[in-house]
Amino acid sequence: MSNLNIFFLFPANEVLQEKWRPDAYVLEAPFNKMVDEVESFALAKPFKCLINIQTIIENIDLAFDNETLIKNIKEPIFIMHAEDDGIIPFRLGKRLFDVAETNSCNARFFPFEKCLHLGHDNIYSADQFQEVVQVIINTVKE
């Protein structure tokens, strides 16, 4: 393999429709689907019984149902998520990994402990980040 084609973003719905496929997917702080992400916000909780968030999200074509999309990926999937992520809850990234793993996807999950204080934007600054990147590169080269 001469070049490594690794996606560091997740435009899966576009990539899955193309003939070209990356060698791997690297997901940093992903969520499983938009409805769960929206419902995780404290401000959304009181409205949950008043409006159907799922229907609204589907009607405006913002479902971002990564749980469904990830089932069609055969390339390796690497997910990194900080336990103290205040934007996208850690449990949503873990849930996406669980779906990938259950569907026989070649997936690996890299959690970053809460005590590292990485939040949503600073995984790259973790001491073990370079080690994680090297694991990803070595796996893709195999």
Side-chain angles (χ1 to χ4, degrees):
M1 185 177 317
S2 58
N3 293 333
L4 295 179
N5 297 312
I6 302 176
F7 269 24
F8 282 89
L9 298 174
F10 194 57
N13 58 338
E14 295 171 21
V15 173
L16 292 173
Q17 295 170 10
E18 300 292 325
K19 291 182 174 41
W20 177 84
R21 299 289 293 248
D23 294 319
Y25 294 84
V26 178
L27 312 179
E28 182 180 0
F31 56 85
N32 58 325
K33 52 188 168 184
M34 183 61 81
V35 69
D36 290 346
E37 170 59 7
V38 170
E39 289 178 350
S40 75
F41 291 117
L43 286 174
K45 292 182 187 192
F47 297 101
K48 194 174 177 181
C49 60
L50 300 173
I51 59 174
N52 186 329
I53 295 172
Q54 175 82 32
T55 301
I56 292 170
I57 288 173
E58 287 173 2
N59 286 344
I60 60 175
D61 197 26
L62 289 177
F64 293 104
D65 186 357
N66 295 327
E67 285 184 1
T68 299
L69 295 171
I70 207 164
K71 293 174 186 177
N72 298 311
I73 295 175
K74 300 302 174 219
E75 296 81 13
I77 301 166
F78 304 95
I79 299 175
M80 298 180 275
H81 212 125
E83 291 176 351
D84 66 330
D85 188 330
I87 307 293
I88 300 180
F90 178 82
R91 63 183 167 75
L92 299 184
K94 180 69 168 80
R95 190 176 300 162
L96 184 62
F97 167 73
D98 292 341
V99 170
E101 191 175 48
T102 300
N103 286 281
S104 302
C105 295
N106 180 5
R108 182 126 182 229
F109 190 73
F110 298 97
F112 291 84
E113 296 176 350
K114 191 176 197 170
C115 64
L116 297 172
H117 306 287
L118 300 172
H120 183 70
D121 297 324
N122 297 306
I123 287 177
Y124 71 91
S125 66
D127 289 340
Q128 69 265 38
F129 182 74
Q130 291 301 321
E131 181 181 317
V132 169
V133 170
Q134 194 58 56
V135 166
I136 293 168
I137 290 170
N138 291 343
T139 302
V140 173
K141 281 183 173 180
E142 292 177 351

